[in-house]
Amino acid sequence: MISETEFRTQEILGIAKKMAIAARTAPKGWGRNTIETKIAFGKDLSVIANKMEELGNKNGQKFFIRDAGNIRNSDAVLFIATEINSLGLNDCGFCGFQNCEEKILHPDVPCSFNTIDLGIAIGSAVSIAADSRADNRIMFSAGRAVKELNCFDERFKIIIAISLSANSKNIYFDRQ
């Protein structure tokens, strides 16, 4: 016999890997890849949670501290990041500028297509978690902490976390 405690983390890691593949294969604007994924588990979760608490205390954002507890108690976390580079369209305007040439003059402003692609990738990833019956939560706060920890190349400006857990009760549901 094999006990659930012996395989649960490995199964959640398997789900996280499938989620990363779903994010990778999600449709992208002009087929251009601006998405990167990474998975954290084990001791890395404490490092990320500590950074979240630090940011929460520094900025007075209590939800960072609340979310840090969720990260600490997760089995794994998938991070999905995107670049914010222009697609080079002639007359889009979604970003608020007239065209991509004008947007390029503002490199810290995201291209709308990059963030749309990120949203589609997140949706694809969480559908795998749902199909696998793994509890999950999308978090900006953990993504921000990972960005501060320089876990991704600097070209990835927006990072979102999807935490995963398999417990008797969903740890992401009744949050204080």
Side-chain angles (χ1 to χ4, degrees), residues 40-59:
F41 64 99
K43 293 178 183 171
D44 289 339
L45 298 178
S46 289
V47 172
I48 295 165
N50 289 342
K51 178 54 91 171
M52 293 169 71
E53 289 170 343
E54 176 188 317
L55 292 170
N57 287 322
K58 177 182 169 186
N59 299 324

Side-chain angles (χ1 to χ4, degrees), residues 11 16 23 26-27 32 35-37 44 78 83 101-102 105 124 131 140 151 153 159 164:
E11 287 301 313
R32 195 180 77 179
I35 299 289
E36 181 71 23
T37 62
D44 289 339
L78 171 66
E83 299 173 24
E101 284 185 24
E102 188 178 339
L105 300 175
S124 293
D131 289 347
F140 150 80
C151 295
D153 185 276
I159 306 169
L164 296 164

Side-chain angles (χ1 to χ4, degrees), residues 3 24 33 38 43 47 53 57 62 72 80 84 109 122 143-144 147 161 163 168:
S3 169
R24 166 67 54 234
N33 180 40
K38 293 190 180 194
K43 293 178 183 171
V47 172
E53 289 170 343
N57 287 322
K62 300 294 182 200
R72 237 185 220 100
I80 306 177
I84 60 171
V109 174
I122 291 167
R144 172 75 188 281
K147 184 175 180 184
S163 54
S168 298

Side-chain angles (χ1 to χ4, degrees), residues 41-167:
F41 64 99
K43 293 178 183 171
D44 289 339
L45 298 178
S46 289
V47 172
I48 295 165
N50 289 342
K51 178 54 91 171
M52 293 169 71
E53 289 170 343
E54 176 188 317
L55 292 170
N57 287 322
K58 177 182 169 186
N59 299 324
Q61 295 174 310
K62 300 294 182 200
F63 71 93
F64 272 74
I65 297 165
R66 177 202 62 203
D67 291 355
N70 282 150
I71 294 300
R72 237 185 220 100
N73 293 316
S74 293
D75 295 308
V77 180
L78 171 66
F79 293 93
I80 306 177
T82 187
E83 299 173 24
I84 60 171
N85 297 328
S86 167
L87 282 185
L89 302 175
N90 290 332
D91 193 20
C92 167
F94 272 2
C95 64
F97 297 105
Q98 184 174 352
N99 55 41
C100 290
E101 284 185 24
E102 188 178 339
K103 185 262 180 259
I104 290 171
L105 300 175
H106 307 275
D108 291 330
V109 174
C111 169
S112 296
F113 282 97
N114 298 155
T115 51
I116 291 167
D117 290 348
L118 177 63
I120 294 168
I122 291 167
S124 293
V126 297
S127 73
I128 298 299
D131 289 347
S132 302
R133 306 302 178 257
D135 295 332
N136 64 90
R137 183 79 180 205
I138 299 169
M139 295 183 189
F140 150 80
S141 55
R144 172 75 188 281
V146 161
K147 184 175 180 184
E148 294 281 326
L149 290 167
N150 298 313
C151 295
F152 282 83
D153 185 276
E154 67 181 32
R155 75 180 189 274
F156 295 102
K157 304 290 186 190
I158 303 171
I159 306 169
I160 300 295
I162 306 171
S163 54
L164 296 164
S165 172
N167 290 295

